[in-house]
């Protein structure tokens, strides 16, 4: 396969991934307004454990299957490629059976253990998803191994659309039967999506069966690998990826387990504790996920670019891309964090006005703390991508694990202190990603030998962000008495975005070279230079 075709395939998956993230993030807002913070507390508890179990049964296996199949096919060994698929498929199927059975019989016990008994319906509704997602992932991995990316992208989009449409419809339909049932309906959207996605990818696999059979007949004369050797190779690739992918789901599952119990310890009843947990994980956290849509686009381009430069031992290019990656990440994370901090309550009022003043005030206080995690979360992602490109994926995993350990300790301690409560959990998230960022930054400097120009990489983006923040704060407070909170929030954010863009140009934070990376960037750069807004 040519490099051009590989990049096209990566672009297809990347675009599908971005669209899915946007749909998923936007979906949480109307869902939260429908089933409110209490319902989101039930929904998120189920989803946290679902994400953890899906990680166990699929994460790493898809990548290892695609890699091993691709390797065999590249030398014309189609028989062993097919055998690898069959062995991996059995592994996926066993994983699906184990996790779905565990959830089916353990849902009641889990909901009681985390002191969130009404989360039972959200947990049990995910049983079909736990069975079908591994099957779907097996076909995705195999087709990716054949360098066919479109089926995976289409099945991902179908899965997400069914998840959102069916989940919202069932939540709305079941609302009259109580919030626990409505949350269960929302959770079943994931099962509907998994079934639909599996059907789509299976049909696309069948459409290529004749082609695959023809390849088997023309396969090179290679010795058949034993099942034990294949299993060993799959495990060697899967385990490191699984360890890395496990940390965030484990952190979220620990939150679901710790937070309600710790809040009940300081006087909240079960419903109030679940309500606060829903505000944090299902509503405030949703906004934190929005900037990741843009930072993930950067991550997807960083890994192959750094990897390519590393294979060529082009260390100057690695340094250049490392500096650019960190700078662009800050250009995304800083304004998002400061903007959410300064407009925390107005934003929550804009998105969740149906929830009542007390809920909006509580959400605003949580978002004020959680907002700063955007800076460190986006930096963790980009710094991790750099280390992965350098062939050192375990280092950022270790660093994030250290951050997660601090999070568990701080969540347990702070959430159980009267007067801090749920904000302690938000603060622990910020500290966890801050620690991981610092450790990753030290590792990146050590292995890339990159010198960071403090002024251009850190100071200029911060100055532009401060200018934007002041303008947003002044604008909102000036027009709010006249236009009301909602319209004032929209106008303030719009003006803030314009001012931020101008500040980046006037301070020289963005240069002509940066525009060369954008579609039609040269024309935009020439226009901005003609009106003296862009420096060379």
């Amino acid at each position: 396969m040519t490099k051009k075709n590989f990049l096209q395939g990566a672009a297809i998956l990347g675009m599908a991934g971005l669209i899915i993230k946007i749909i998923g993030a936007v979906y949480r807002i109307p869902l939260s307004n429908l089933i409110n913070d209490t319902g989101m507390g039930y929904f998120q508890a189920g989803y946290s454990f679902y994400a953890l179990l899906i990680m166990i049964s699929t994460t790493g296996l898809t990548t290892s299957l695609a890699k091993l199949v691709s390797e065999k096919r590249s030398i014309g060994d189609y028989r062993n490629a097919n055998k690898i698929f069959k062995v991996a498929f059995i592994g996926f199927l066993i994983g699906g059976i184990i996790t779905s059975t565990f959830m089916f019989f353990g849902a009641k016990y889990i909901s009681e253990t985390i002191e969130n008994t009404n989360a039972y319906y959200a947990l049990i509704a995910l049983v079909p998803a736990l069975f079908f997602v591994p099957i779907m992932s097996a076909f995705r991995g195999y087709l990716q191994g054949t360098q066919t990316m479109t089926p995976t992208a289409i099945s991902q989009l179908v899965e997400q659309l069914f998840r959102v449409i069916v989940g919202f419809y069932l939540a709305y339909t079941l609302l009259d039967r109580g919030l626990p049932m409505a949350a269960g309906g929302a959770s079943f959207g994931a099962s509907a999506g998994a079934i639909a996605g599996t059907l789509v990818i299976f049909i696309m696999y069948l459409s290529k069966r004749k082609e695959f059979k023809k390849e088997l007949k023309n396969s090179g004369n290679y010795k058949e690998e034993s099942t034990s050797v294949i299993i060993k190779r799959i495990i060697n690739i899967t385990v490191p990826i699984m360890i890395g992918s496990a940390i965030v789901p484990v952190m979220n599952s620990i939150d679901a387990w710790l937070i309600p119990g710790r809040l009940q310890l300081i006087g909240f009843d079960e419903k109030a504790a679940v309500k606060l947990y829903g505000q944090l994980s299902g509503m405030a956290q949703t906004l934190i996920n929005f900037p990741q849509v843009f930072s993930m686009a950067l991550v997807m381009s960083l890994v192959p670019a750094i990897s390519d430069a590393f294979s060529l031992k082009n260390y100057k290019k690695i340094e250049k891309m490392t500096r650019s990656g960190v700078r662009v990440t800050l250009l995304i994370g800083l304004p998002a964090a400061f903007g959410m901090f300064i407009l925390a309550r107005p934003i929550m009022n804009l998105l969740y006005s149906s929830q009542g003043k007390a809920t909006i005030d509580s959400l605003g206080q949580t978002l004020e703390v959680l907002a700063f995690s955007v800076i460190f979360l986006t930096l963790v992602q980009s710094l991790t991508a750099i280390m992965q490109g350098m062939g050192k994926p375990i280092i950022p995993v270790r660093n994030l694990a250290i951050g997660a350990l601090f999070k568990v300790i701080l969540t347990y301690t702070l959430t159980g202190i009267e007067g801090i409560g749920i904000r302690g959990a938000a603060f622990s998230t910020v500290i966890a990603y801050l620690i991981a960022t610092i450790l990753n930054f030290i590792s990146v400097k050590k292995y890339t030998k990159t010198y960071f120009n403090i002024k251009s990489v850190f100071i200029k983006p911060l100055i532009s962000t401060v200018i934007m923040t002041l303008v947003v704060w002044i604008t909102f407070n000036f027009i709010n008495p006249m236009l009301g909170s909602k319209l004032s929030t929209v106008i303030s954010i719009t003006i803030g975005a314009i001012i931020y863009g101008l500040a980046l140009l006037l301070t020289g934070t963005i240069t002509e070279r940066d525009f060369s990376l954008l579609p039609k960037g040269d024309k935009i750069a020439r226009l901005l230079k003609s009106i003296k807004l862009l420096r060379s």
Side-chain angles (χ1 to χ4, degrees):
M1 188 184 197
T2 66
K3 184 176 179 181
K4 181 180 179 182
N5 288 335
F6 170 77
L7 292 175
Q8 287 175 344
I12 290 170
L13 289 180
M15 285 302 298
L18 287 177
I19 293 169
I20 287 165
K21 279 188 172 292
I22 292 169
I23 294 172
V26 171
Y27 164 63
R28 293 297 182 95
I29 295 170
L31 181 64
S32 298
N33 280 309
L34 179 66
I35 64 176
N36 70 45
D37 45 8
T38 304
M40 288 305 290
Y42 305 145
F43 173 82
Q44 277 299 129
Y47 192 80
S48 295
F49 286 99
Y50 164 72
L52 179 60
L53 292 173
I54 283 295
M55 180 279 303
I56 293 170
S57 63
T58 66
T59 302
L61 273 171
T62 306
T63 303
S64 61
L65 174 57
K67 177 179 171 59
L68 294 175
V69 167
S70 179
E71 286 176 356
K72 291 299 181 183
R73 288 175 61 86
S74 67
I75 59 173
D77 188 2
Y78 298 107
R79 284 198 182 89
N80 274 317
N82 188 57
K83 184 172 182 179
I84 289 168
F85 170 55
K86 289 180 179 179
V87 172
F89 183 84
I90 293 170
F92 276 107
L93 186 61
I94 291 171
I97 292 171
I98 291 172
T99 54
S100 58
T101 302
F102 172 78
M103 183 68 88
F104 181 79
F105 289 106
K108 189 174 185 207
Y109 175 77
I110 293 170
S111 62
E112 290 173 350
T113 302
I114 64 175
E115 299 185 59
N116 188 352
T117 52
N118 285 323
Y120 169 78
Y121 297 104
L123 289 162
I124 204 73
L126 292 164
V127 169
L130 287 166
F131 177 76
F132 281 100
V133 168
I135 295 172
M136 176 171 56
S137 298
F139 287 109
R140 285 177 179 173
Y142 180 66
L143 289 170
Q144 285 175 36
T146 67
Q147 310 297 349
T148 310
M149 305 300 180
T150 302
T152 293
I154 293 173
S155 73
Q156 285 176 336
L157 288 171
V158 169
E159 179 190 3
Q160 183 73 323
L161 287 172
F162 268 78
R163 185 176 78 85
V164 168
I165 294 169
V166 174
F168 193 83
Y169 173 77
L170 289 177
Y172 177 79
T173 304
L174 295 171
L175 195 58
D176 291 340
R177 299 180 65 177
L179 286 175
M181 288 291 287
S187 287
F188 188 78
S191 292
I195 294 168
T198 301
L199 286 173
V200 168
I201 199 78
F202 182 64
I203 290 169
M204 299 187 87
Y205 169 78
L206 287 179
S207 70
K208 291 182 170 292
R209 282 286 288 167
K210 286 184 179 179
E211 181 183 330
F212 294 150
K213 285 182 179 179
K214 185 178 178 181
E215 288 175 345
L216 283 174
K217 289 179 181 179
N218 299 322
S219 180
N221 189 22
Y222 292 92
K223 182 182 177 181
E224 182 179 337
E225 288 190 355
S226 66
T227 300
S228 61
V229 169
I230 291 173
I231 291 172
K232 185 177 179 180
R233 293 182 68 198
I234 290 173
I235 289 172
N236 287 340
I237 299 172
T238 299
V239 171
I241 298 172
M242 184 180 291
I243 292 171
S245 302
I247 295 171
V248 172
V250 167
M251 285 167 62
N252 292 335
S253 297
I254 289 172
D255 271 354
W257 175 56
L258 277 181
I259 292 173
R262 296 299 290 168
L263 289 174
Q264 289 176 55
L265 193 67
I266 57 174
F268 292 95
D269 60 25
E270 182 181 316
K271 185 175 180 180
V274 170
K275 183 184 179 82
L276 288 169
Y277 169 68
Q279 290 176 12
L280 172 70
S281 61
M283 300 169 87
Q285 189 67 47
T286 296
L287 295 181
I288 303 305
N289 292 336
F290 273 110
Q292 291 184 61
V293 171
F294 304 100
S295 63
M296 282 305 294
L298 173 66
V299 166
M300 284 187 291
S301 63
L302 265 179
V303 174
I306 295 283
S307 180
D308 188 54
F310 183 69
S311 65
L312 297 172
K313 301 189 185 303
N314 189 342
Y315 296 107
K316 286 187 178 180
K317 188 176 181 181
I318 291 173
E319 288 181 42
K320 181 181 175 182
M321 286 188 292
T322 298
R323 282 192 293 268
S324 296
V326 171
R327 186 168 63 89
V328 173
T329 301
L330 286 170
L331 293 180
I332 297 168
L334 283 171
F338 277 72
M340 282 191 277
F341 171 74
I342 202 71
L343 291 178
R345 192 187 181 284
I347 289 172
M348 289 304 186
N349 184 54
L350 174 67
L351 299 176
Y352 305 114
S353 57
S354 63
Q355 300 301 307
K357 185 178 182 301
T359 298
I360 290 169
D361 287 340
S362 178
L363 280 168
Q365 290 174 1
T366 301
L367 184 59
E368 282 177 348
V369 179
L370 199 60
F372 291 100
S373 68
V374 174
I375 302 170
F376 308 119
L377 175 55
T378 51
L379 278 172
V380 163
Q381 290 173 336
S382 61
L383 293 169
T384 296
I386 292 166
M387 294 307 298
Q388 287 174 340
M390 294 281 290
K392 299 186 181 298
I394 297 300
I395 292 174
V397 170
R398 178 201 65 197
N399 295 340
L400 188 55
I402 294 170
L405 179 61
F406 276 87
K407 174 176 169 55
V408 171
I409 295 169
L410 288 172
T411 297
Y412 182 86
T413 304
L414 297 176
T415 310
I417 297 176
E418 196 170 347
I420 298 179
I422 196 66
R423 284 176 295 166
F427 179 75
S428 71
T429 299
V430 177
I431 296 300
Y433 287 120
L434 169 61
I435 290 170
T437 297
I438 293 170
L439 295 175
N440 274 358
F441 193 77
I442 292 169
S443 299
V444 165
K445 284 205 70 176
K446 176 182 176 181
Y447 290 103
T448 66
K449 311 294 184 186
T450 301
Y451 166 75
F452 290 93
N453 185 307
I454 301 298
K455 182 179 178 182
S456 63
V457 176
F458 300 102
I459 302 299
K460 284 185 177 181
L462 184 59
I463 290 172
S464 300
T465 300
V466 170
I467 292 170
M468 177 212 74
T469 305
L470 289 172
V471 170
V472 167
W473 185 80
I474 292 168
T475 302
F476 180 82
N477 284 283
F478 179 73
I479 65 176
N480 183 38
M482 296 178 284
L483 302 178
S485 176
K486 291 182 181 179
L487 185 56
S488 298
T489 302
V490 174
I491 292 172
S492 298
I493 292 172
T494 304
I495 291 174
I498 295 169
I499 293 298
Y500 182 63
L502 290 172
L504 291 176
L505 294 169
L506 294 172
T507 58
T509 306
I510 289 184
T511 64
E512 184 178 0
R513 186 176 62 190
D514 295 314
F515 278 94
S516 65
L517 302 173
L518 302 174
K520 305 291 184 183
D522 294 338
K523 291 182 179 180
I524 299 171
R526 283 197 297 270
L527 175 62
L528 292 172
K529 283 185 73 177
S530 68
I531 56 178
K532 302 186 184 307
L533 281 177
L534 183 64
R535 303 178 189 181
S536 299

